[in-house]
């Protein structure tokens, strides 16, 4: 499976893994802890998610992994194309000083041609992102899509917790990730178009 193109134009091991280091005389366990691996549900901290969600939503469309290519971006700069993303959070947890977030995401590029929205390349699938910094200065430091083809499932299992991987794969297979309607609404607002502006193929 993998990243699913939808317009012209994308577990942690089940063994215990700890890295130990001495800090102020105390031995501190970092990286993935056993409780994450043993959970029946993906780890979710709603307060932490709400604090990083705006950063993810704002910075993800500008990341190289999303906006590094596209039909409109490559050939129709006259339409002032821009990428937009909608995210469905699957899990979130702290990993040392970083915040790891597993998502199922739909991203698409749009431009404006007169009174119409023009659609270009779109891509959807599971991804893992890393957020660093403190509240008020968060930044998206890493974005990783699941692999394409036969390696897709194993890549998701490495990127997510076991419970998160199951939920992410189910969302992909069942088409339960975010769709294009939300992106079209956001794109219309961005380009100053009315809510009923038509969407034309690029």
């Amino acid at each position: 499976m993998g990243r699913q193109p939808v317009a012209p134009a994308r577990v942690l091991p089940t063994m215990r893994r700890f890295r130990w280091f001495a800090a102020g005389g105390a031995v501190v366990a970092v990286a993935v802890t056993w409780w994450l691996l043993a959970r029946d549900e993906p780890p979710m901290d709603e307060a932490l998610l709400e604090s990083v969600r705006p950063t993810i939503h704002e910075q993800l469309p500008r990341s190289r992994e999303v906006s590094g290519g596209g039909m409109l971006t490559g050939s129709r700069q006259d339409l002032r194309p821009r990428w937009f993303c909608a995210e469905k959070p699957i899990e979130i947890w702290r990993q040392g000083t970083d915040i790891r977030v597993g998502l199922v995401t739909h991203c698409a590029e749009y431009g404006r041609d007169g009174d119409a929205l023009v659609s270009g390349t779109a891509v959807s699938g599971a991804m893992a992102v890393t957020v660093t910094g403190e509240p008020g200065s968060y930044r998206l430091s890493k974005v990783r899509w699941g692999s394409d083809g036969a390696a897709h499932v194993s890549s998701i299992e490495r990127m997510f917790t076991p419970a998160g991987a199951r939920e992410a794969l189910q969302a992909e297979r069942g088409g339960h990730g975010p769709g294009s309607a939300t992106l079209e609404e956001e794109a219309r607002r961005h380009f100053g178009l009315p809510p009923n502006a038509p969407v034309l193929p690029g």
Side-chain angles (χ1 to χ4, degrees), residues 10-129:
R10 172 165 184 26
V11 179
L12 298 165
T14 54
M15 62 181 289
R16 207 176 316 203
R17 295 200 305 166
F18 294 99
R19 183 171 4 131
W20 301 92
F21 66 91
V27 176
V28 181
V30 297
V32 182
T33 54
W34 181 253
W35 73 272
L36 280 174
L37 300 176
R39 290 174 63 97
D40 293 329
E41 296 182 352
M44 179 57 65
D45 182 330
E46 294 290 348
L48 182 60
L49 176 62
E50 289 308 308
S51 73
V52 301
R53 188 195 291 266
T55 297
I56 295 172
H57 188 70
E58 176 186 354
Q59 297 183 14
L60 184 59
R62 302 199 304 265
S63 68
R64 180 179 58 185
E65 290 77 7
V66 169
S67 62
M71 181 176 63
L72 301 182
T73 303
S75 62
R76 294 300 307 273
Q77 283 296 317
D78 58 302
L79 302 180
R80 295 177 297 154
R82 176 182 164 179
W83 282 84
F84 300 84
C85 291
E87 310 86 25
K88 177 182 179 179
I90 300 295
E91 62 185 13
I92 182 171
W93 76 92
R94 290 189 179 276
Q95 188 175 46
T97 59
D98 295 337
I99 301 170
R100 291 287 305 275
V101 188
L103 309 161
V104 174
T105 306
H106 178 69
C107 298
E109 60 169 354
Y110 293 95
R112 176 176 178 171
D113 189 0
D115 295 328
L117 196 64
V118 179
S119 64
T121 302
V123 64
S124 62
M127 65 161 50
V129 303

Side-chain angles (χ1 to χ4, degrees), residues 82-189:
R82 176 182 164 179
W83 282 84
F84 300 84
C85 291
E87 310 86 25
K88 177 182 179 179
I90 300 295
E91 62 185 13
I92 182 171
W93 76 92
R94 290 189 179 276
Q95 188 175 46
T97 59
D98 295 337
I99 301 170
R100 291 287 305 275
V101 188
L103 309 161
V104 174
T105 306
H106 178 69
C107 298
E109 60 169 354
Y110 293 95
R112 176 176 178 171
D113 189 0
D115 295 328
L117 196 64
V118 179
S119 64
T121 302
V123 64
S124 62
M127 65 161 50
V129 303
T130 302
V131 178
T132 57
E134 300 295 333
S137 61
Y138 283 134
R139 66 182 182 87
L140 204 59
S141 60
K142 186 175 182 179
V143 176
R144 182 183 176 191
W145 290 99
S147 300
D148 293 328
H152 181 67
V153 172
S154 61
S155 71
I156 298 302
E157 290 173 344
R158 289 191 299 270
M159 292 159 49
F160 287 73
T161 64
R166 288 193 298 271
E167 185 167 323
L169 290 168
Q170 288 172 0
E172 286 187 333
R173 291 165 179 162
H176 299 145
S180 59
T182 300
L183 298 186
E184 291 174 0
E185 293 176 5
E186 185 177 351
R188 287 187 181 101
R189 290 193 301 269

